[in-house]
């Protein structure tokens, strides 16, 4: 933290050291009890106030807010991440899909199942290998009491996993 603090003192309007400090705290939060989610949330808010182009900060902030049971704030941050990625333009389909998956899961937390379904389908369209999006979509169908569609989604996940394993083992 000391190195980041020194960099912030030297250039207070530079968002990168604040972002790196937040990312370090986020990793500590994920792998230990060193940082509290509230500390991370505060630091990430500071980052996004200074620089709205760091989509990773919005994604981390959204994930922290989901952990803090603040799904509406998480949705706003995932939407900011989508906007940031769209401004950048040249981001991988996997990253776009991952953000859409997070957004879909946040919609599930707010019980907006229709929007969750639409968003998760977009995530799967962007990256058909996104197993987490497929599983979340199955969850949405369960919550919508559409068991046949939930089972179809689980089957698709299973078939795609099996296909991937067969390709890995035996080649194309």
């Amino acid at each position: 933290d000391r190195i980041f603090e020194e960099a912030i003192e030297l250039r207070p309007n530079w968002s990168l050291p604040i972002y790196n400090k937040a990312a370090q705290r986020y990793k500590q939060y994920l792998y230990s009890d060193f940082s509290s989610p509230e500390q991370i949330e505060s630091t990430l808010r500071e980052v996004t106030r200074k620089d709205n182009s760091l989509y990773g900060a919005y994604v981390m902030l959204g994930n922290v807010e989901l952990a803090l049971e603040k799904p509406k704030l998480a949705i706003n941050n995932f939407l900011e991440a989508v906007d940031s990625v769209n401004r950048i333009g040249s981001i991988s389909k996997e990253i776009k899909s991952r953000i859409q998956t997070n957004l879909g899961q946040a919609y599930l937390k707010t019980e907006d199942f229709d929007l969750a379904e639409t968003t998760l389908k977009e995530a799967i369209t962007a990256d058909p290998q996104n197993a987490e999006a497929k599983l979340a979509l199955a969850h949405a169908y369960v919550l919508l009491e559409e068991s046949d569609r939930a089972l179809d989604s689980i089957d698709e996940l299973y078939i795609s996993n099996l296909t991937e394993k067969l390709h890995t083992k035996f080649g194309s």
Side-chain angles (χ1 to χ4, degrees):
D1 267 7
R2 184 183 58 78
I3 293 170
F4 297 126
E5 294 299 330
E6 288 175 15
I8 293 166
E9 281 181 36
L10 289 172
R11 292 182 65 190
N13 291 326
W14 191 30
S15 61
L16 195 57
I18 301 169
Y19 176 76
N20 287 330
K21 176 181 170 182
Q24 180 184 29
R25 285 185 175 171
Y26 184 71
K27 286 178 188 171
Q28 290 168 340
Y29 167 67
L30 290 176
Y31 301 112
S32 72
D33 293 328
F34 182 70
S35 289
S36 74
E38 290 82 6
Q39 276 184 313
I40 299 164
E41 181 184 34
S42 172
T43 306
L44 288 167
R45 284 201 184 287
E46 185 179 352
V47 171
T48 58
R49 275 194 301 276
K50 289 186 182 227
D51 187 346
N52 68 353
S53 68
L54 297 170
Y55 69 88
Y58 286 112
V59 172
M60 284 189 282
L61 185 54
N63 286 328
V64 169
E65 287 170 336
L66 278 178
L68 292 170
E69 299 296 325
K70 299 177 181 179
K72 289 182 180 178
L73 291 174
I75 288 168
N76 291 337
N77 283 294
F78 292 135
L79 288 171
E80 287 291 340
V82 169
D83 287 346
S84 180
V85 164
N86 288 337
R87 284 192 302 272
I88 294 169
S90 61
I91 298 293
S92 75
K93 63 180 183 166
E94 291 85 7
I95 290 174
K96 288 180 181 179
S97 178
R98 180 74 214 128
I99 295 169
Q100 289 295 109
T101 302
N102 290 347
L103 180 58
Q105 291 171 330
Y107 284 134
L108 285 175
K109 290 263 187 182
T110 62
E111 298 182 358
D112 192 339
F113 304 128
D114 293 329
L115 205 44
E117 176 187 15
T118 301
T119 304
L120 292 165
K121 283 181 176 179
E122 289 172 8
I124 295 166
T125 299
D127 179 11
Q129 301 304 311
N130 185 338
E132 190 173 349
K134 291 177 182 178
L135 189 58
L137 182 59
H139 185 130
Y141 289 141
V142 167
L143 296 171
L144 286 166
E145 298 181 5
E146 296 183 22
S147 56
D148 288 342
R149 291 174 79 187
L151 290 172
D152 289 345
S153 191
I154 294 293
D155 285 346
E156 168 62 29
L157 177 62
Y158 175 74
I159 290 168
S160 118
N161 255 350
L162 182 60
T163 303
E164 186 178 321
K165 286 179 183 177
L166 289 172
H167 281 293
T168 302
K169 188 168 184 168
F170 299 109
S172 3

